[in-house]
């Protein structure tokens, strides 16, 4: 549920889950905002694209660690 950790400009709660999916991993990110205005502001800042980039970077790092 909604549990922001601090008073910040854009409070949110992120719920990240990962589970096995065949030979890979299923990643699901859910973000809760205080209100629709905060959600819209976050979307306008590039939230979806930014989180997509983060997961691609995490995947690259995981592959590097697996090869090491």
């Amino acid at each position: 549920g909604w549990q922001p950790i601090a008073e910040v400009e854009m409070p949110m709660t992120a719920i990240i889950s990962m589970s096995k999916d065949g030979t890979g991993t299923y990643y699901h990110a859910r973000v809760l905002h205080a209100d629709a205005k905060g959600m819209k502001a976050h979307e306008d800042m590039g939230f979806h694209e930014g989180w997509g980039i983060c997961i691609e970077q995490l995947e690259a790092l995981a592959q590097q660690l697996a090869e090491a």
Side-chain angles (χ1 to χ4, degrees):
W2 172 248
Q3 298 176 15
I5 60 172
E7 291 297 323
V8 294
E9 183 178 335
M10 188 174 304
M12 65 175 179
T13 298
I15 303 167
I16 309 298
S17 60
M18 296 183 192
S19 59
K20 290 183 180 183
D21 183 27
T23 59
T25 302
Y26 177 78
Y27 165 87
H28 183 219
R30 180 176 182 198
V31 178
L32 308 175
H33 294 85
D35 53 35
K37 180 180 175 185
M39 180 181 74
K40 176 75 170 115
H42 211 180
E43 287 177 348
D44 291 346
M45 291 171 57
F47 170 81
H48 294 287
E49 180 182 46
W51 278 64
I53 291 169
C54 288
I55 195 60
E56 290 170 2
Q57 292 172 341
L58 180 59
E59 177 186 17
L61 176 62
Q63 288 178 355
Q64 288 175 357
L65 293 174
E67 294 169 0

